[in-house]
């Protein structure tokens, strides 16, 4: 499992997520890498679409502006695990969502009325 999530790129996190979810190797290149990235992006998009309301409702109940990335990550991991993912995939998904801007995701959800 990746320990330095704050410095990892989204692509590195997506490859790690693909390894957890689908058993792919973590060191991929070429066509395998592109396939793993697309598979993981699709999985994140579909998971987020299915669970956005629940995720954003919980994020709204927990302060994430802590200036401590590990506390923020732990909070989001806990929320995702409550929704039903295992720890390893929840940790990587939380890191991806934080990097993408989980606050913006939930603001967009509220603005479009999907919450």
């Amino acid at each position: 499992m990746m320990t330095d999530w704050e410095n990892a790129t989204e692509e590195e996190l997506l490859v790690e997520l693909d390894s957890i979810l689908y058993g792919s190797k973590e060191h991929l290149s070429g066509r395998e890498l592109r396939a793993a990235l697309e598979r993981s992006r699709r999985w994140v998009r579909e998971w987020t679409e299915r669970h956005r309301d629940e995720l954003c409702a919980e994020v709204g109940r927990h302060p994430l502006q802590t200036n401590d990335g590990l506390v923020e990550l732990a909070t989001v991991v806990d929320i995702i695990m409550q929704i039903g993912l295992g720890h390893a995939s929840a940790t990587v998904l939380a890191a991806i969502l934080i990097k993408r801007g989980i606050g913006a995701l939930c603001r967009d959800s509220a603005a479009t009325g999907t919450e």
Side-chain angles (χ1 to χ4, degrees), residues 5 22 43 50-51 56 58 60 62 66 69 73 76 95 98 105 108-109 111 114:
W5 71 272
Y22 303 107
W43 186 90
R50 265 192 324 274
H51 299 288
C56 292
E58 287 299 317
H62 297 85
T66 63
L73 179 68
V76 177
I98 289 169
L105 171 75
D108 290 348
S109 174
T114 58

Side-chain angles (χ1 to χ4, degrees), residues 59 62-69 71-72 75 102-104 107:
V59 166
H62 297 85
L64 294 179
Q65 306 299 332
T66 63
N67 294 329
D68 185 341
V71 171
E72 187 172 293
T75 301
I102 195 165
R107 279 191 303 278

Side-chain angles (χ1 to χ4, degrees), residues 43-112:
W43 186 90
V44 169
R45 183 179 57 252
E46 290 170 357
W47 188 94
T48 303
E49 287 170 359
R50 265 192 324 274
H51 299 288
R52 180 183 303 210
D53 292 347
E54 189 175 0
L55 175 69
C56 292
E58 287 299 317
V59 166
R61 289 191 264 280
H62 297 85
L64 294 179
Q65 306 299 332
T66 63
N67 294 329
D68 185 341
L70 290 178
V71 171
E72 187 172 293
L73 179 68
T75 301
V76 177
V77 167
D78 186 52
I79 292 168
I80 292 170
M81 287 177 63
Q82 288 175 27
I83 294 172
L85 278 184
H87 187 267
S89 54
T91 301
V92 179
L93 178 59
I96 291 168
L97 294 177
I98 289 169
K99 283 186 172 294
R100 288 183 176 180
I102 195 165
L105 171 75
C106 292
R107 279 191 303 278
D108 290 348
S109 174
T112 60

